[in-house]
Amino acid sequence: MITTAVPSARPYPAVVDVAIIGSGPAGATYARILSELSPQASIAIFEAGPTISDPPGSHVKNIASVQDREVAQRRSEGKVSAVPSGGNLAEYARDVARPVRPGTFLLDDGWQQPGETGLPGLAFSSNVGGMAAHWTGACPRPGGSERIAFLPNMDELLSEAERLLSVSSEALAGAPLADLVRSRLSAALDDGRAHDRRVQPMPLAVRRTDDGRFIWSGADVVFGDETRNNPRARLFDESVVVRVLTDGDEVSGVRVRDAKSGDEHEIAARYVVVAADALRGPQLLFASGIRPEALGRYLNDQPQIVHAVRLTGAMDDVPAASSSDTTITAQSGVSWVPFTDEQPFHGQVMQLDASPVPISGDVIPGSIVGLGWFCAKDLQASDRVVFSENTTDAYGLPAMNIHYTFTERDEQTLSAARQSVVAAARSLGEPLGDQPLTFPAGASLHYQGTLRMGTSNDGTAVCDPAGQVWDVRGLFVAGNGVIPTPTACNPTLTGVALAVAGARQIAESINSTSTEK
């Protein structure tokens, strides 16, 4: 059964078939697919952060107690919390220049270089389940140039990702006022769009129980019973992988530091999967002396513009909110304005139970609407994370320095997105505030590109279409960092889909070897 290691024992294995670094959705995908297709394989999953929920990797929204939820969020904040212990969670995002969300922590240094935009909003989570313990659950499919043209089976991979994440477009589709929101958005924005790119309910990684509760998907849903009941799969929390070990041009294992004792252990492995995020994944490869030309390059975030509006003409008999401490409830919906190549941004429209700014009069749940427009970044190799040869971070790994700038095309996209979100807000009712707010770069938390896949080892890609790192047999990378295209849609679904392809390749190799024996 998949459980965290006993703190006093820490029985790390001497050898495994597959070592997975990172317990977020991509790492969980490898564990799940291998458990399904190669149950004979031994698997060890290593996570630098602590277990904050039961089952491990579940979403903090599923924690009923507000106090317990806050504790879980604080335990996700790495070595240093951005807010003093005991501070009010509502105060996290008070700094507009460098906003911090509960469960995340900022990069202390190196986030901006002189004369560059930088990523002031760059943030991480450190916990079993990764950022999926805190995310909004949005899982739209990519379209147009967001799609990866050299993957002929991308739709099948996306469908499998939807299965693993338990994605539904119906869970909140029937929320009060949601139809009114979508009909007004459609009238304002749908003209000229293909049918599948019109305004529609947002696909969400959420399911509704028979008694009306919502269960938000975290990595625990991706792990599934198939992994939890697999006696050959083990999850080790507070275990920092400090180096991927190689023997010539082949992977041979990992070196792990027990964060509880400080002891280090070498574990042999036939396959190693680096499924950390788009910053800490390349960091580990760099620390391991694995440094392909594209490593850390093509870093991209999704520039984000937000606006809010009070829906006019809403009915007065809408039911009361089901909860006062959850942003999205049974009485509020999420709608989607898909990306198109002509309008290279994606809209996430969230109905709220309360207003984000003080307003007069009673608020009908669902009548305050937040609009978030995410833009596709103009990719450039110079946008990158550079790692230090002599300075380390709080985990003892090479310190990061971010190089990041907006191009003229980026500025044009941002300008068009501002016009679009204003038009959308006006179609719904009374905008709250004169102008939309442009979030600082990095605030989307949708980092990609630093481990990008490609079709050839030409210096512009770190791995092949299955996620195997060029020139290092048995080493795979996974997560949003492998996405090679400029995207505006939430990237988790795509990241999981790409992990499915890699996990299948490892399973095929393991099964082939077992058959030969």
Side-chain angles (χ1 to χ4, degrees):
M1 173 178 285
I2 183 169
T3 59
T4 53
V6 179
S8 60
R10 305 299 281 178
Y12 292 111
V15 60
V16 294
D17 290 308
V18 186
I20 301 171
I21 299 128
S23 62
T29 296
Y30 269 83
R32 170 73 170 273
I33 295 297
L34 288 167
S35 294
E36 291 180 343
L37 301 182
S38 301
Q40 76 277 19
S42 56
I43 304 167
I45 305 128
F46 300 100
E47 169 57 54
T51 301
I52 62 169
S53 60
D54 183 17
S58 61
H59 200 297
V60 297
K61 282 186 180 180
N62 300 331
I63 301 174
S65 163
V66 175
Q67 182 177 5
D68 290 345
R69 190 183 312 151
E70 291 185 1
V71 170
Q73 289 167 328
R74 290 195 178 281
R75 294 188 67 213
S76 303
E77 294 169 1
K79 297 284 188 179
V80 179
S81 174
V83 176
S85 178
N88 188 338
L89 285 179
E91 295 297 313
Y92 268 73
R94 65 187 182 278
D95 185 353
V96 175
R98 296 202 75 199
V100 185
R101 271 66 65 90
T104 72
F105 59 100
L106 296 172
L107 183 65
D108 287 336
D109 302 302
W111 51 270
Q112 184 181 48
Q113 308 308 315
E116 297 182 359
T117 305
L119 291 176
L122 177 61
F124 308 88
S125 289
S126 187
N127 54 269
V128 172
M131 197 71 77
H134 315 282
W135 68 322
T136 64
C139 287
R141 285 196 176 205
S145 59
E146 292 182 307
R147 292 173 60 86
I148 304 170
F150 56 77
L151 293 180
N153 62 333
M154 189 169 182
D155 285 325
E156 186 273 328
L157 292 173
L158 290 167
S159 294
E160 180 69 346
E162 289 167 342
R163 175 183 77 92
L164 296 176
L165 287 161
S166 190
V167 174
S168 168
S169 296
E170 305 302 322
L172 291 174
L177 305 179
D179 284 342
L180 179 60
V181 168
R182 284 193 290 274
S183 66
R184 292 184 180 179
L185 289 174
S186 294
L189 304 175
D190 276 353
D191 186 40
R193 288 173 172 260
H195 181 75
D196 66 340
R197 295 280 103 186
R198 294 175 183 171
V199 174
Q200 58 194 276
M202 176 67 79
L204 294 168
V206 62
R207 66 186 187 279
R208 191 169 189 173
T209 64
D210 292 340
D211 60 1
R213 294 182 300 111
F214 287 98
I215 305 297
W216 293 87
S217 295
D220 65 315
V221 172
V222 182
F223 280 126
D225 289 338
E226 291 80 358
T227 311
R228 280 187 287 272
N229 295 334
N230 181 357
R232 299 180 65 78
R234 300 245 18 223
L235 169 63
F236 298 89
D237 68 354
E238 298 187 68
S239 298
V240 182
V241 175
V242 296
R243 190 174 183 89
V244 174
L245 305 176
T246 56
D247 182 4
D249 62 355
E250 189 169 3
V251 77
S252 60
V254 296
R255 182 179 300 147
V256 182
R257 181 190 306 123
D258 183 346
K260 298 178 180 179
S261 68
D263 296 335
E264 293 193 358
H265 307 262
E266 290 196 356
I267 299 166
R270 295 172 57 192
Y271 303 92
V272 172
V273 180
V274 177
D277 57 46
L279 282 299
R280 288 175 288 190
Q283 179 189 46
L284 178 58
L285 265 61
F286 183 90
S288 306
I290 302 167
R291 303 175 182 181
E293 184 179 345
L295 186 71
R297 293 187 178 273
Y298 303 97
L299 169 63
N300 70 95
D301 169 52
Q302 294 171 346
Q304 183 180 1
I305 295 172
V306 297
H307 207 4
V309 62
R310 186 172 190 170
L311 192 64
T312 56
M315 300 184 331
D316 294 329
D317 59 348
V318 176
S322 63
S323 171
S324 61
D325 64 345
T326 304
T327 301
I328 307 173
T329 73
Q331 310 307 331
S332 53
V334 185
S335 299
W336 176 30
V337 182
F339 165 97
T340 68
D341 288 329
E342 295 73 28
Q343 298 181 344
F345 31 82
H346 136 100
Q348 186 168 316
V349 182
M350 304 174 69
Q351 295 169 247
L352 311 175
D353 284 335
S355 174
V357 297
I359 60 176
S360 60
D362 294 333
V363 175
I364 300 172
S367 66
I368 303 299
V369 183
L371 303 96
W373 259 229
F374 297 82
C375 302
K377 178 74 172 70
D378 190 15
L379 301 188
Q380 47 187 358
S382 57
D383 288 334
R384 62 183 299 206
V385 53
V386 176
F387 302 103
S388 173
E389 293 279 9
N390 46 38
T391 305
T392 58
D393 64 12
Y395 292 90
L397 290 165
M400 302 178 188
N401 288 284
I402 303 299
H403 291 269
Y404 198 80
T405 60
F406 284 154
T407 67
E408 182 178 352
R409 181 185 296 178
D410 290 328
E411 297 294 352
Q412 293 171 351
T413 300
L414 279 164
S415 177
R418 290 187 192 99
Q419 295 178 36
S420 175
V421 79
V422 167
R426 289 175 177 168
S427 75
L428 294 175
E430 175 189 351
L432 302 178
D434 296 332
Q435 296 294 329
L437 173 66
T438 301
F439 272 18
S444 79
L445 309 179
H446 295 168
Y447 318 123
Q448 302 164 67
T450 53
L451 295 165
R452 69 201 308 251
M453 63 171 50
T455 57
S456 63
N457 187 8
D458 60 1
T460 67
V462 172
C463 65
D464 70 12
Q468 179 160 286
V469 174
W470 300 114
D471 300 329
V472 186
R473 285 179 295 164
L475 176 59
F476 288 71
V477 287
N480 296 340
V482 305
I483 299 173
T485 54
T487 70
C489 70
N490 311 64
T492 301
L493 182 73
T494 302
V496 168
L498 301 181
V500 168
R504 286 174 175 172
Q505 179 158 309
I506 292 178
E508 182 179 356
S509 178
I510 290 174
N511 294 344
S512 175
T513 303
S514 299
T515 301
E516 291 174 2
K517 292 180 180 180

